[in-house]
């Protein structure tokens, strides 16, 4: 089947193929995400039909007992699989286990599943799933345009197998060399791996050996020879450009000559990894789709009053003229950034990422601050909040519901702009290659242009997550200020906080200022404790260096975002609790 898909593909021009292949990989991830949402919903619906399980979340004590049981069921296999050894690993497992258990117990509630169609139709999930569904259709259409889709899918399917059995150890008995000074005979040893899946090989022997990847008479001098000294491990690791010296796709035989003094033993440690590491990003994308789906359904099921306020807020915000203007500005700005020459000697692609991510962050911040000011402050001043609170809605549900509703609108804005930016980056790589960018000169031999484009997309997606986090932090501050201040004062303060949050980090880290003006550094550290440090949401340095953003960095930044937003919401609730609304 994989070879059949490969034969169908590649009919378009190389320019189109290089631009389309990264988008096709992303669309496969989106399609799998939708399938996962359907599978999880189906399992939850079946479980909700059981009388006892379908009512677990209705009572407080049974609910938390069930959450604890599910947590144990998630933690135990996770510990066995990942074997965490530090605080980061254990913390990540416990947090994921708690969130998964909390979502699962509320999802299998009978009422939740009965209201699932309404939850999807009424809330922000509907436009989100429509957009994801439309983009995932490209997983079918793009098969004829992508580069070797069958090979890519095979790499995706084999990823779990390689994760479990990716390391293999083999031991071979090597025959003794001849007693006279003749050339040692060639011994064939049997191995089994795909040449593009070989990540590293390690040879250890008690005799001096020469190992060839092809018969010795076909091996050029120094070409594919591996010299293994006696009792000295010798290794080979696949370079970053993905090139391998193995002549055939399926490596079944290695050729060995013993130049030692006696019969020996050869130990081969092989590490196999995905032939196309780009496909490892597919589960990440599908997991993100599932996370957004479960997050919205869980909030609606666990906090119905808060969800009602947030739903009304989201609906109100996404139809505002400012929201549409920001969306159009972002789309136009990204298009202009694609064709705009930056005169950076082949680094225009990085400039596009930098400009695009900064644009998404700023536009989301503008919307978040303005929406918080208008939605909270204006409703308090216009007595609309008093009317709402006269119903069985607590003040905390009002404030938190407004915050969550604005965040959902911001997430939609970030996703729509981010999708446009990802498409732009995918198009920019072959566009620059056609214009003679220098990365094509070294990349054309070993690394396809589409791989370069996808590598840049893998930088953009974490950048979009960090941009959304930065907008969320500033929005939380704006919501807290809106409980007491009018719109204009709120906007001015938020702009000042954003400027200080970007400038405070260099002051704290400056050694020159620390030596000459120590008091300035002390004050700066106090300010940095209160004001969010927006520098950590910026990945310009990683983009410039061509380095991927580590997942642990994104995770800890998410923790910082959650903690800061929690503190801001506690301040907001304190300020709003005794606010006179009459």
């Amino acid at each position: 089947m994989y070879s059949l898909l490969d034969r169908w593909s590649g009919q378009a021009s190389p320019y189109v193929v290089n631009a389309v292949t990264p988008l096709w990989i992303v669309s496969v991830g989106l399609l799998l995400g939708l399938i996962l949402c359907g599978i999880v919903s189906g399992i939850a619906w079946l479980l909700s039909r059981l009388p006892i399980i379908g009512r677990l979340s209705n009572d407080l004590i049974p609910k938390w007992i069930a959450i604890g049981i599910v947590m144990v069921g998630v933690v135990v296999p996770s510990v066995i699989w990942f074997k965490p050894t530090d605080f980061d690993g254990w913390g990540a497992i416990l947090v994921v286990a708690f969130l998964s258990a909390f979502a699962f117990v509320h999802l299998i509630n009978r009422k939740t599943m009965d209201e699932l169609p309404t939850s999807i139709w009424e809330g922000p999930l509907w436009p989100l799933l429509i957009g994801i569904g439309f983009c995932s259709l490209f997983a079918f259409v793009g098969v004829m345009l992508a580069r070797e889709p069958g090979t890519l899918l095979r790499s995706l399917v084999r990823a779990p197998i390689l994760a479990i059995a990716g390391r293999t150890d083999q031991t071979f008995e090597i025959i003794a060399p001849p007693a006279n000074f003749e050339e040692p005979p060639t011994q064939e040893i049997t191995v089994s791996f795909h040449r593009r899946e070989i990540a590293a090989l390690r040879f250890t022997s008690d005799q001096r050996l020469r190992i060839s990847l092809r018969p010795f008479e076909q091996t050029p001098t120094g070409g594919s020879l591996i010299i293994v000294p006696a009792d000295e491990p010798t290794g080979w690791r696949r370079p970053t450009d993905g090139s391998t010296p193995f002549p055939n796709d399926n490596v079944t035989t290695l050729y060995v000559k013993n130049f030692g003094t006696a019969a020996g033993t050869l130990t081969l440690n092989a590490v196999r990894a995905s032939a196309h590491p780009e496909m490892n990003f597919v589960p990440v994308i599908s997991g993100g789709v599932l996370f957004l789906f479960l997050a919205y359904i869980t909030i609606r099921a666990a906090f119905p009053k808060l969800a009602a306020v947030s739903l009304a807020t989201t609906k109100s915000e996404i139809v505002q003229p400012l929201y549409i203007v920001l969306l159009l500005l972002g789309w136009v700005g990204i298009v202009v950034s694609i064709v705009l020459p930056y005169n950076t000697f082949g680094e225009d692609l990085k400039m596009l990422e930098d400009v695009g991510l900064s644009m998404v962050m700023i536009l989301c911040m503008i919307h978040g601050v303005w929406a918080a000011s208008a939605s909270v402050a204006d409703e308090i001043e216009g007595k609309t909040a008093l009317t709402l609170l006269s119903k069985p809605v607590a003040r905390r549900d009002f404030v938190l519901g407004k915050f969550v509703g604005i965040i959902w609108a911001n997430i939609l804005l970030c996703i729509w702009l981010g999708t446009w930016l990802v498409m732009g980056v995918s198009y920019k790589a072959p566009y620059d290659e056609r214009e003679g960018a220098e990365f094509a000169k070294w990349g054309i031999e070993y690394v396809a242009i589409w791989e370069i484009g996808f590598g840049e997309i893998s930088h953009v997606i974490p950048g979009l997550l960090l941009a959304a986090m930065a907008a969320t932090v500033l929005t939380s501050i704006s919501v807290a200020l809106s409980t007491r201040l009018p719109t204009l004062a709120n906007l001015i303060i938020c702009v000042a906080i954003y400027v200080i949050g970007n400038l405070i980090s260099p002051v704290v880290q400056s050694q020159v200022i620390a030596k000459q003006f120590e008091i300035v550094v002390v004050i700066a550290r106090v300010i940095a404790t209160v004001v969010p440090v927006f520098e950590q949401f910026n990945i310009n340095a990683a983009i410039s260096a061509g380095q991927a953003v580590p997942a642990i960095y994104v995770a800890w930044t998410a923790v910082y975002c959650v903690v800061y937003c929690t503190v801001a919401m506690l301040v907001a609730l304190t300020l709003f609790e005794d606010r006179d609304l009459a």
Side-chain angles (χ1 to χ4, degrees), residues 30 64 66 73 92 166 188 191 266 302 338 350 444 452 482 486 549:
L30 296 176
W64 286 104
E188 297 182 2
V191 294
L266 171 64
I338 294 173
K350 294 181 180 180
I444 205 80
I452 298 174
S482 297
V549 181

Side-chain angles (χ1 to χ4, degrees), residues 24-40:
W24 181 79
I25 296 176
V26 174
S27 67
V28 171
L30 296 176
L31 178 62
L32 288 181
L34 290 179
I35 294 174
L36 280 178
C37 292
I39 292 174
V40 170

Side-chain angles (χ1 to χ4, degrees), residues 455-492:
E456 300 302 328
I457 288 177
S458 66
H459 299 164
V460 168
I461 293 179
L464 290 172
L465 293 175
L466 295 173
M469 293 178 197
T472 300
V473 169
L474 194 60
T475 301
S476 67
I477 297 174
S478 181
V479 170
L481 295 175
S482 297
T483 59
R484 289 287 182 171
L485 298 177
T487 301
L488 182 59
N490 188 358
L491 293 176
I492 294 174

Side-chain angles (χ1 to χ4, degrees), residues 5 110 118 128 143 182 192 236 307 310 313 333 339 394 401 410 456 465-466 478 492 497 510 517 529 551 558:
L5 291 176
R110 189 183 185 95
T118 304
L128 181 61
V143 166
E182 297 179 359
S192 178
W236 172 88
S310 68
T313 304
V339 299
N410 246 1
E456 300 302 328
L465 293 175
L466 295 173
S478 181
I492 294 174
I497 289 175
S510 175
F517 306 99
T529 306

